[in-house]
């Protein structure tokens, strides 16, 4: 990667937006980029930086059998593997964007692996320039496991994934639940908003409009800003009792070759995690995989000694061991084999905001620290081995065991009867006492609001979550379903909400339940219940938002009539005020995207939702303008035009006068603010007109007869834009004064 | 009044037995279209439109009287009052299935009014809201011409004009009919 | 309940617009939409966007009265549609009042703040948070529930009556097809139909 200043690409301004000559922007651009954090840049520029994870479709198309006839239905249904593979291939007519979002969502539910390193290990890594120690060094590498990863599901079918990853969390310094979770409930959402604000602040230069890259078809892909938002939203969660996604699945216990009493240290570290001060709370299952790592110092220590020690470790601790050979010298950019450490994709909002234990604060090194290529290779191999040979098999095994021991008992006839008789305890025995208990299992600790980790309800949830993280959504869906009534009986509302939420999400992810109307209705019902329990019963705004956002995205990716539901849930998010002001803008755009994803009935003019999509883009433009983001407004407006192009008559004008007036005013206001933001003398009509002229010719879509009027009218009115704006209060009464 | 009742009966009978019916909306739209077209052709000169409608009516009336006499088989009217009843109760009945009220006779029995409770020609019609049509256009003016043409064929020279029209916002639609003279032993005039 | 009734030609040209309020249960017949008066374009946006649904229903459903076909949840705006055989569309936007009480929505014009695009208020139709709770509260009373069978029936009657008058209006020889309907008579009849049924 080149240095950030160079990397910042010069994108043309949005074609709608009036622009200064591009030469001017080129000179201005790098200077303004300087002060923004390069890593955040990279985030937005991720479409240019090699994406760490190829889209799912790419994955599957490379698979030997599947690529043969990826769209032949008969093949798909013949074996489970093939059926599952259909997941990866986008359904005809939808563009890649939805797959990308889908992958993002799937990856956000990655298993958590704790990292607990001895002091000497952390010391070694600190020498390399990582203040956060061993955890900080390996963290980014966990997010994407190199190569394909094969996972077997509960019926024994295998499926390989190329976008698998794990989340490393630090057990050494940080507690499992970061302090933010104890703060105000809305604060994580406030953080998300702040991150966006910061991001926009650093990017809302005149070229901010290039936040909307177009793919080769001219369809706007999902805006990177929205992807950032989504990632932030999905990164909020910390370990909570009601779901186990953030509970450790495994723990890496690391010592270094410098350690003088290695085995004792390993034992002590283990003991810490088992019953010492790193012991997990009651509601986290205490049995999780321990993985022992010996970090060998290539620069200072003798490999034969380390190998000997490693053999010893294997004898003591079994197979879950790894010898990681790292150099302890600090690597600098100028070193021949220096490699920049990849950026963490999954930073929580507060990490992004406060740069806590983040390498990003060190601006001198150009943002991310560098390590030797050999180190990178070693860490990648280590992570791959950890995940492929230990974590995933461990999880597969746990799922199989729990499925056998707990779930099947519940699923069977007797299990149903048990659960029924529990509910109707008066049956036969006539026992009063169990009647008064209201059918509750008694496992739920109402005072503290959790199930102990060994209660069947908790184990089942963990099993479902494991299945979910192993991407066996069929199993997870059926398991969540089992749990829902239990939680309701116990009035464990957060668990209840979570079970409904993940039940719906699993169904939406599960390829076999391709959506019929009935299914969508059932899913809507689950989401209704989940959001009600989350928001009304538990006042848990972040989880409500997560639930509804997941629902929206996954319904959207289903296409067809599901997009109506998707849009409905997005509107619900806005309606309930879950999103902040930037979030509102993003959700407006998302609603538009949902509707735009609905295609017309083949060969007919009807069946699409172009008008709705256009309307929401206009609303988004209006919201952006209110927020003082004319470049975003301009992009949204351009999108609106594209969407409306199909439904408007040839002249591109709305037949409804007040609509037309509103849109004209909006265009005008956006234009004026846009020019203001660029510091262009808006009175200079010739320059503007010239700039506009070039825009005209660079226009790609030909169905834009209205473009001319849109761009030219405000200036043609005979007033200079600034004067026109003052005369026309409609234009920008709120933002102009501030600007 | 016996002549009135008699005329009514004749009219009803003829309507039931001798008249081929035609769809009212068709008539209405046909007539309405003619008027609208005239308004357009004369560029909103409503005086001229009124004149043209009257002239068209006159030419219709001269022909229609034959059909009327053949169908009704009524004899010569004794006086102008009887004529008025015949027009209202038989003529309008068989051609438009209405019977406007005969009223407002002058003392010399030479002038009367036909008050139309309903007017099939003007169903659905709203005059153009150009601010003049309301004051200038007599939408059903063709009827005046029809009466003039028909009565002229039976030796009565009359003059007919509308004095009010609900289309203009008046309470009633009223046509004033005046007997100018009986035409004695003259050659029928040329068609206008 | 506030109503915005519009007739669109087959090519989406508005032929007739009228806004009115309910006259039932003590209503004064004056429309009080959730957006400020300066944001009346919202009605048009919502109506316009519902044409997506109308077009679809038009081909999937043989009836003239299409019932409630679309909802704009942020402003609790419900759209009912009626198609004439000639392709004109009657669209009725109905919006339950903010709160159940008849006087509680007097602020309908208060949020405007005069100029500006949509004034100072949210473009999406007033306060979001208030919207949903009010909709829920008013759902209990049948008159204010836009999707109840009673409402469907009332709207159907209204549509039928307007249609009858519409036919007469377009039969006017002076009315040219596709022109805006400016007939005061028609307007008064629509108003009367609204008063009678809604």
């Amino acid at each position: 990667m080149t240095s950030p200043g160079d990397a910042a690409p010069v994108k043309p301004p949005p074609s709608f937006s009036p622009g200064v000559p591009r030469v001017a922007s080129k000179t201005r651009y790098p200077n303004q980029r300087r002060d923004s954090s390069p890593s955040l840049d990279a985030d937005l520029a991720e479409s240019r930086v090699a994406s760490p994870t190829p889209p799912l479709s790419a994955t599957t198309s490379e698979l030997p059998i599947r690529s043969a006839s990826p769209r032949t239905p008969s093949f798909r249904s013949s074996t489970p593997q093939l059926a599952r593979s259909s997941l990866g291939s986008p359904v005809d007519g939808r563009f890649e964007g939805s797959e990308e979002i889908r992958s993002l969502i799937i990856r956000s539910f990655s298993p958590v692996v704790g990292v607990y390193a001895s002091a000497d290990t952390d010391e070694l890594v600190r020498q390399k320039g990582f203040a956060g120690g061993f955890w900080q060094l390996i963290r980014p590498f966990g997010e994407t496991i190199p190569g394909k990863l094969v996972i077997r599901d509960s019926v024994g079918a295998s499926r390989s994934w190329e976008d698998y990853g794990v989340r490393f969390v630090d057990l050494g310094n940080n507690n499992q639940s970061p302090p933010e979770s104890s703060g105000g409930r809305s604060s994580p959402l406030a953080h998300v908003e702040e991150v966006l604000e910061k991001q926009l602040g650093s990017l809302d230069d005149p070229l901010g409009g290039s936040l909307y890259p177009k793919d080769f078809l001219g369809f706007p892909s999902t805006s990177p800003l929205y992807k950032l938002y989504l990632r932030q939203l999905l990164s909020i969660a910390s370990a909570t009792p009601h779901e186990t996604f953030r509970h450790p699945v495994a723990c890496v216990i690391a010592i270094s070759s410098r350690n003088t009493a290695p085995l004792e240290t390993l034992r002590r570290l283990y003991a810490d995690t088992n019953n010492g001060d790193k012991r997990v709370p009651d509601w986290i299952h205490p049995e999780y995989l321990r993985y022992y790592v010996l970090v060998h110092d290539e620069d200072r220590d003798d490999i034969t000694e380390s190998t000997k020690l490693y053999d010893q470790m294997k004898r003591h601790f079994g197979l879950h061991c790894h010898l990681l050979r790292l150099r302890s010298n600090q690597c600098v950019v100028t070193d021949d084999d220096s490699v920049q450490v990849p950026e963490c994709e999954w930073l929580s909002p507060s990490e992004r905001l406060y740069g806590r234990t983040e390498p990003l604060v060190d601006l001198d090194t150009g943002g991310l620290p560098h390590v030797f290529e050999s180190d990178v290779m070693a860490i990648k191999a280590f992570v791959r081995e950890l995940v492929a040979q230990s974590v995933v098999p461990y999880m597969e095994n746990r799922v199989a065991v729990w499925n056998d021991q707990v779930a099947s008992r519940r699923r069977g006839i007797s299990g149903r009867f048990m659960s029924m008789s529990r509910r109707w305890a008066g049956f036969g025995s006539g026992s009063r006492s169990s009647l008064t208990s209201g059918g509750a299992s008694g496992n739920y600790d109402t005072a503290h609001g959790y199930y102990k980790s060994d209660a069947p309800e908790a184990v089942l949830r963990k099993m479902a979550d494991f299945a979910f993280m192993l991407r066996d959504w069929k199993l997870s869906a059926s398991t969540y379903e089992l749990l829902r009534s239990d939680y309701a009986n116990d009035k464990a509302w957060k668990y209840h909400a979570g079970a409904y939420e993940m039940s719906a999400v699993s169904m939406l992810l599960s390829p076999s339940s391709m959506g019929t109307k009935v299914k969508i209705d059932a899913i809507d019902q689950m989401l209704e219940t989940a959001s009600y329990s989350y928001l009304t019963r538990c006042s848990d705004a972040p989880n409500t938002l997560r639930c509804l956002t997941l629902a929206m995205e996954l319904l959207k990716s289903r296409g067809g009539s599901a997009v109506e539901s998707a849009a409905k849930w997005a509107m619900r998010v806005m309606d309930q005020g879950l999103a902040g002001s930037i979030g509102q803008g993003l959700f407006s755009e998302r609603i538009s995207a949902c509707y735009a994803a609905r295609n017309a009935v083949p060969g007919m003019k009807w069946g699409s939702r172009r008008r709705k999509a256009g309307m929401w883009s206009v609303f988004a433009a209006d919201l952006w303008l209110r927020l003082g983001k004319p470049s975003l407004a301009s992009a949204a407006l351009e999108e609106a035009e594209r969407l409306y192009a199909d439904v408007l008559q040839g002249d591109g004008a709305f037949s409804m006068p007040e609509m037309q007036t509103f849109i004209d005013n909006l265009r005008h206001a956006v234009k004026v603010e846009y020019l203001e933001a660029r510091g262009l003398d808006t009175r200079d009509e010739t320059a503007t007109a010239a700039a506009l002229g070039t825009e005209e010719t660079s226009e790609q879509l030909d169905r834009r007869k209205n473009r001319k009027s849109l761009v030219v009218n405000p200036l043609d009115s005979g007033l200079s834009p600034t004067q026109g704006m003052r005369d026309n209060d409609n234009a920008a009464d709120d933002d102009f004064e501030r600007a | 009044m016996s002549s009135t009742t008699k005329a009514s009966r004749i009219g009803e009978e003829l309507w039931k037995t001798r008249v081929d019916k035609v769809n009212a909306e068709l008539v209405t739209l046909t007539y309405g279209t003619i008027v609208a077209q005239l308004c357009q052709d004369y560029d909103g000169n409503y005086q001229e439109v009124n004149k043209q409608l009257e002239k068209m009516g006159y030419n219709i009336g001269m022909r229609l009287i034959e059909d009327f006499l053949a169908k009704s088989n009524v004899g010569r009217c004794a006086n102008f009052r009887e004529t008025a009843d015949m027009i209202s109760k038989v003529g309008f009945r068989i051609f438009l299935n209405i019977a406007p009220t005969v009223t407002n006779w002058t003392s010399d029995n030479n002038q009367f009014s036909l008050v139309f409770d309903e007017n099939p020609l003007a169903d659905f019609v709203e005059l153009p809201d150009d601010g003049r049509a309301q004051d200038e256009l007599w939408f059903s003016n063709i009827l005046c011409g029809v009466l003039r043409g028909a009565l002229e064929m039976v030796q009565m020279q009359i003059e007919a004009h509308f004095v009010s029209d609900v289309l203009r916002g008046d309470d009633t639609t009223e046509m004033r009919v005046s007997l100018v003279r009986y035409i004695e032993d003259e050659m029928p005039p040329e068609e206008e | 309940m506030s109503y915005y009734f519009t007739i669109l030609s087959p090519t989406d040209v508005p032929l007739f617009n009228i806004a009115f309020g309910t006259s039932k249960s003590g209503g004064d017949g004056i429309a009080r939409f959730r957006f400020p008066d300066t944001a009346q374009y919202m009605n048009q946006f919502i109506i316009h966007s519902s044409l997506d649904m109308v077009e679809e229903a038009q081909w999937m459903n043989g009836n003239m009265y299409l019932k409630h076909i679309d909802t704009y949840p942020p402003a609790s705006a419900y759209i009912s549609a009626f198609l004439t055989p000639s392709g004109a569309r009657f669209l009725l936007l109905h919006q339950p009042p903010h709160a159940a009480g008849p006087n509680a929505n007097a602020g309908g014009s208060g949020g405007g703040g005069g100029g500006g695009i949509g004034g100072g208020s949210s473009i999406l139709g007033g306060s979001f948070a208030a919207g949903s709770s009010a909709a829920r509260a008013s759902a209990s009373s049948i008159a204010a529930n836009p999707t109840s069978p009673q409402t469907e029936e009332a709207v159907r009657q209204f549509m039928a009556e307007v249609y009858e008058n519409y036919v007469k209006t377009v039969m006017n020889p002076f009315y040219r097809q596709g022109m805006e309907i400016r007939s005061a008579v028609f307007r008064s009849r629509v108003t009367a139909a609204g008063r009678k049924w809604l």
Side-chain angles (χ1 to χ4, degrees):
Chain A
M1 205 200 271
T2 47
S3 76
D6 294 338
V10 178
K11 287 232 165 186
S15 55
F16 150 73
S17 314
V20 293
R22 283 179 202 161
V23 188
S25 56
K26 259 180 199 161
T27 53
R28 194 188 331 233
Y29 192 55
N31 300 337
Q32 293 191 341
R33 278 297 176 96
R34 277 275 176 236
D35 40 28
S36 70
S37 160
S39 76
L40 294 180
D41 265 10
D43 216 319
L44 277 192
E46 84 165 9
S47 53
R48 293 164 239 126
V49 179
S51 172
T53 50
L56 275 176
S57 52
T59 314
T60 46
S61 61
E62 281 169 22
L63 300 181
I65 318 167
R66 287 148 206 172
S67 59
S69 61
R71 302 213 173 149
T72 310
S74 58
F75 264 71
R76 241 180 240 173
S77 50
S78 58
T79 71
Q81 291 105 310
L82 289 171
R84 294 171 104 209
S85 77
S86 69
L87 176 81
S89 63
V91 174
D92 308 36
R94 259 179 278 147
F95 25 97
E96 296 289 280
S98 68
E99 287 304 323
E100 196 183 338
I101 295 283
R102 213 181 138 95
S103 164
L104 188 79
I105 289 172
I106 293 170
R107 282 185 290 125
S108 77
F109 292 97
S110 295
V112 161
V113 176
V115 176
Y116 192 31
S118 65
D120 49 276
T121 317
D122 280 340
E123 183 50 43
L124 187 155
V125 175
R126 266 188 214 106
Q127 268 184 6
K128 296 173 69 63
F130 291 83
F134 186 60
W135 166 69
Q136 194 200 350
L137 174 64
I138 62 170
R139 182 183 185 191
F141 298 96
E143 290 175 350
T144 338
I145 309 299
K148 292 185 192 111
L149 199 79
V150 177
I151 302 176
R152 293 165 68 82
D153 69 13
S154 58
V155 293
S158 316
R159 159 110 208 240
S160 71
W161 297 91
E162 217 163 274
D163 62 347
Y164 207 78
V166 293
R167 216 65 78 75
F168 286 119
V169 301
D170 190 11
L171 286 187
N173 305 319
N174 298 14
N175 200 319
Q176 291 231 313
S177 18
E180 73 213 69
S181 66
S182 54
R185 285 187 184 280
S186 66
S187 69
L189 292 183
H191 284 161
V192 172
E193 190 78 5
E194 246 180 281
V195 169
L196 294 175
E197 187 62 61
K198 201 170 139 194
Q199 181 77 305
L200 280 176
S202 70
L203 277 161
D204 198 33
D205 57 33
L207 292 174
S210 64
L211 289 177
Y212 291 80
K214 308 260 170 171
D215 69 16
F216 61 99
L217 283 174
F219 286 114
S221 58
T222 314
S223 88
L225 186 65
Y226 176 72
K227 274 187 265 176
L228 173 67
Y229 181 76
L230 190 58
R231 261 205 308 270
Q232 289 297 284
L233 205 59
L234 295 172
S235 307
I236 292 175
S238 50
T240 54
H242 82 283
E243 61 180 26
T244 74
F245 294 115
R246 291 291 184 276
H247 298 186
V249 168
C251 177
V252 171
I253 292 174
I255 55 164
S256 74
S257 53
R258 297 178 186 181
N259 198 298
T260 47
L263 292 182
E264 288 69 39
T265 310
L266 285 172
R267 283 215 179 81
R268 188 179 48 76
L269 293 174
Y270 170 79
D272 280 352
T273 64
N274 205 33
N275 42 28
D277 56 350
K278 304 299 175 197
R279 195 184 131 80
V280 293
D282 256 0
W283 37 266
I284 294 185
H285 206 283
E287 286 170 31
Y288 51 90
L289 179 76
R290 304 303 196 288
Y291 193 88
Y292 302 92
V293 175
L294 172 61
V295 178
H296 170 72
D297 184 344
E298 291 275 79
D299 288 324
R300 289 180 180 76
D301 288 327
D302 180 6
I303 185 65
T304 52
E305 287 297 309
S306 293
T307 315
K308 227 182 284 171
L309 175 60
Y310 180 58
D311 288 338
Q312 237 179 324
M313 276 170 67
K314 278 202 282 195
R315 274 200 300 281
H316 277 85
F317 302 110
L319 289 170
H320 301 303
C321 290
H322 191 88
L323 175 63
L324 179 61
R325 296 166 67 162
L326 294 179
R327 296 180 61 180
S328 55
N329 288 346
Q330 182 161 9
C331 174
V332 286
V333 195
T334 48
D335 285 342
D336 282 345
D337 55 349
S338 77
V339 174
Q340 198 174 28
V341 171
E343 195 218 343
C344 280
E345 193 184 359
W346 298 98
L347 294 173
S348 77
S350 54
E351 280 175 316
R352 269 191 203 276
L353 274 186
Y354 308 124
R356 193 183 59 187
T357 66
E358 228 187 315
L360 310 182
V361 286
D362 194 1
L363 280 175
D364 294 337
T365 62
L368 298 163
H370 286 70
V371 288
F372 297 106
E373 203 184 340
S374 61
D375 289 350
V376 170
M377 302 305 287
I379 296 172
K380 280 186 171 169
F382 152 62
V383 172
R384 177 163 175 84
E385 197 181 303
L386 163 75
V387 176
Q389 292 176 22
S390 293
V391 172
V392 167
Y394 170 76
M395 290 172 79
E396 288 170 350
N397 175 266
R398 291 320 299 171
V399 170
V401 169
W402 285 325
N403 198 9
D404 193 44
Q405 292 180 349
V406 191
S408 58
R409 239 182 292 158
R410 276 295 314 279
R411 273 185 241 266
I413 302 236
S414 60
R416 289 190 195 284
F417 184 73
M418 281 272 290
S419 132
M420 263 185 29
S421 64
R422 207 175 72 188
R423 216 167 307 157
W424 311 106
F427 184 74
S429 71
S431 126
R432 283 271 144 188
S433 59
S434 49
L435 257 183
T436 49
S437 77
S441 65
N443 290 333
Y444 184 60
D445 182 344
T446 36
H448 298 96
Y450 63 82
Y451 290 94
K452 279 181 81 166
S453 60
D454 55 351
E457 291 85 349
V459 173
L460 275 180
R461 169 78 208 204
K462 195 162 178 66
M463 173 197 146
D465 288 350
F466 270 32
F468 190 94
M469 290 187 286
L470 291 174
R471 306 184 179 180
D472 185 353
W473 294 295
K474 214 170 156 186
L475 178 63
S476 69
S478 67
T479 313
Y480 289 123
E481 211 175 315
L482 275 182
L483 283 166
R484 298 188 314 211
S485 58
D486 290 358
Y487 293 148
N489 291 338
D490 288 343
K491 297 191 171 52
W493 295 127
K494 206 149 179 176
Y495 284 85
H496 180 252
Y500 271 94
E501 174 192 19
M502 296 318 292
S503 193
V505 171
S506 298
M507 279 183 80
L508 284 167
L509 284 169
S510 175
S512 58
S513 63
M514 264 306 180
T516 58
K517 182 92 183 80
V518 183
K519 286 263 170 58
I520 298 295
D521 283 350
I523 285 170
D524 275 349
Q525 197 51 51
M526 288 179 216
L527 293 168
E528 188 72 54
T529 310
S531 63
Y532 182 76
S533 277
Y534 269 140
L535 193 62
T536 311
R537 288 176 169 137
C538 304
S539 316
D540 186 344
N543 272 318
T544 318
L545 181 57
R546 181 188 77 170
C547 170
L548 296 184
T549 310
L550 287 175
M552 187 243 320
E553 287 302 338
L554 294 174
L555 282 165
K556 174 177 178 294
S557 73
R558 291 252 133 160
S561 61
V563 301
E564 313 267 342
S565 284
K568 187 186 78 185
W569 292 113
M571 284 182 221
R572 178 74 69 87
V573 167
M574 299 181 72
D575 190 17
Q576 291 177 330
L578 296 171
S581 52
I582 295 176
Q584 297 264 352
L586 289 172
F587 270 99
S588 296
E589 291 187 342
R590 221 52 205 146
I591 295 171
S592 172
C594 284
Y595 282 126
R598 181 98 196 243
N599 292 326
V601 173
M604 304 290 169
K605 275 187 73 181
W606 48 273
S608 70
R609 298 288 180 269
R610 282 305 170 92
R611 294 182 183 89
K612 282 176 186 290
M615 175 174 80
W616 280 98
S617 273
V618 169
F619 291 170
D622 187 68
L623 284 169
W624 290 133
L625 192 66
R626 278 166 209 283
L627 290 174
K629 311 282 180 212
S631 49
L632 290 174
S634 159
L637 207 50
E638 190 188 7
E639 174 67 2
E641 268 188 50
R642 188 183 72 80
L643 292 164
Y644 271 129
D646 284 345
V647 291
L648 294 185
Q649 304 301 312
D651 57 356
F654 291 90
S655 49
M656 302 198 182
E658 286 163 37
M659 264 175 93
Q660 185 64 51
T661 310
F662 175 76
I663 288 182
D664 286 345
N665 288 341
L666 188 62
R667 277 173 186 155
H668 182 78
V670 165
K671 194 172 129 74
V672 168
E673 287 219 13
Y674 190 85
L675 293 178
E676 291 278 327
R678 311 188 87 169
L680 189 73
D681 182 2
T682 48
R683 257 164 276 252
D684 187 357
E685 288 195 26
T686 49
T688 317
L692 294 178
T694 58
E695 296 302 335
E696 268 320 331
T697 51
S698 68
E699 198 48 62
Q700 290 190 341
L701 291 166
D702 52 357
R703 302 194 58 181
R704 289 273 183 76
K705 290 175 189 143
N706 49 338
R707 174 56 51 83
K708 189 162 260 163
S709 68
L710 145 75
V711 173
V712 178
N713 267 349
L715 286 180
D716 275 357
S717 63
L719 302 167
S720 75
T722 27
Q723 192 194 341
M725 188 171 62
R726 275 187 212 108
D727 289 349
N728 183 359
D729 277 349
N730 290 343
D733 58 331
D734 34 4
D735 289 315
F736 175 63
E737 294 301 323
R738 268 187 272 124
Chain B
M1 209 185 285
S2 71
S3 82
T4 312
T5 4
K6 190 180 149 217
S8 289
R9 235 183 16 246
I10 294 169
E12 295 290 351
E13 188 60 26
L14 287 172
W15 169 251
K16 279 182 199 144
T17 57
R18 305 289 303 273
V19 178
D20 295 332
K21 314 294 191 297
V22 65
N23 178 285
E25 281 78 18
L26 177 65
V27 173
T28 307
L29 276 183
T30 309
Y31 180 66
T33 307
I34 290 168
V35 180
Q37 190 62 45
L38 283 173
C39 291
Q40 203 181 324
D41 290 351
Y42 289 96
D43 205 14
N45 181 347
Y46 295 120
Q47 269 83 18
E48 191 57 33
V49 174
N50 292 339
K51 215 166 106 190
Q52 290 298 325
L53 287 171
E54 208 273 348
K55 208 151 103 187
M56 288 161 73
Y58 177 79
N59 290 331
I60 293 171
M62 288 203 303
R63 291 161 173 79
L64 206 58
I65 188 70
E66 295 295 349
D67 185 56
F68 171 79
L69 293 172
K71 276 204 176 93
S72 65
N73 203 20
V74 291
R76 176 171 283 274
C77 293
N79 52 37
F80 196 51
R81 288 190 85 108
E82 212 178 299
T83 305
D85 281 337
M86 205 53 78
I87 291 168
S88 154
K89 301 296 184 300
V90 184
F92 275 102
R93 175 64 71 197
I94 66 178
F95 291 115
L96 287 176
N97 193 26
I98 57 172
T101 313
V102 179
T103 185
N104 291 343
W105 281 98
T106 51
S107 53
D108 60 1
N109 286 339
N110 278 344
Q111 274 184 38
F112 66 94
S113 287
L114 289 170
V115 177
F116 294 82
D117 293 329
E118 49 182 336
N119 177 3
L121 294 188
D123 274 351
F124 320 126
V125 173
E126 286 181 52
L127 297 181
D129 54 354
D130 58 1
R132 294 186 301 110
Q134 298 273 336
D135 298 325
E136 298 172 10
L137 179 64
W138 294 112
F139 183 83
S140 306
N141 217 36
I142 199 166
L143 296 178
C144 300
V146 172
L147 286 190
R148 184 165 72 86
L151 291 177
E152 192 166 299
M153 294 304 282
V154 290
Q155 278 78 42
M156 277 177 269
Q157 186 183 345
I158 58 125
E159 191 276 331
H161 63 271
F162 278 99
V163 293
S164 67
D165 190 341
V166 287
L167 292 182
R168 293 181 168 205
D170 299 326
D171 290 335
T172 55
T173 302
E174 178 177 346
M175 187 202 288
R176 194 75 186 151
V177 183
S178 319
L179 176 66
V180 180
R181 65 184 179 109
Y182 288 100
I183 305 162
E184 305 285 351
D185 300 325
E186 281 179 32
M187 293 298 288
E190 292 299 307
E191 283 188 14
E192 286 180 32
Chain C
M1 198 87 97
S2 299
Y3 299 96
Y4 185 83
F5 175 72
T6 197
I7 298 179
L8 296 175
S9 79
T11 52
D12 300 354
V13 178
L15 304 179
F16 181 79
N17 289 318
I18 189 171
F20 59 94
T22 188
S23 301
K24 300 279 182 225
S25 52
D28 56 4
I30 295 168
R32 292 182 183 82
F33 293 104
R34 302 223 179 135
F35 358 93
D37 288 348
T38 49
Q40 285 308 310
Y41 59 83
M42 278 303 296
N43 282 328
Q44 295 187 351
F45 264 107
I46 297 169
I47 293 262
H48 185 261
S49 75
S50 74
L51 288 174
D52 283 337
M53 313 300 291
V54 175
E55 280 181 357
E56 189 168 297
Q58 186 168 357
W59 299 106
M60 311 298 275
N61 181 337
N63 300 325
M64 304 230 290
Y65 179 42
L66 301 175
K67 299 193 181 175
H68 165 240
I69 50 150
D70 196 17
T71 309
Y72 176 76
S76 302
Y78 297 80
I79 312 282
S80 300
F82 181 94
L83 293 169
T84 73
S86 60
R89 312 103 186 275
F90 294 4
L91 295 165
L92 180 72
L93 180 154
H94 31 132
Q95 189 181 55
H98 250 302
N103 295 324
N105 52 6
S109 57
I117 296 172
S121 71
S122 163
I123 181 178
L124 302 163
S127 120
F128 267 114
S132 67
S133 61
R136 240 171 265 130
S138 57
S140 54
S141 101
I142 288 165
N145 181 354
T147 51
S148 71
Q150 289 88 338
T151 310
E152 292 282 20
E153 179 58 19
V155 173
R156 193 184 65 76
Q157 301 271 23
F158 169 79
M159 291 292 196
E161 187 163 329
V162 171
Y163 177 52
E164 204 174 298
N165 288 300
Y166 169 80
V167 170
K168 288 181 183 161
T169 302
V170 298
M171 290 275 272
N172 176 7
F174 294 105
Y175 173 76
R176 251 182 302 154
Q177 286 297 315
M179 245 170 43
E180 187 188 344
I181 299 175
R182 281 182 294 188
S183 159
V185 177
F186 181 68
R187 182 166 291 271
S188 70
R189 285 185 183 151
V190 173
T191 309
R195 206 173 295 134
K196 187 160 150 200
W197 299 112
L198 302 174

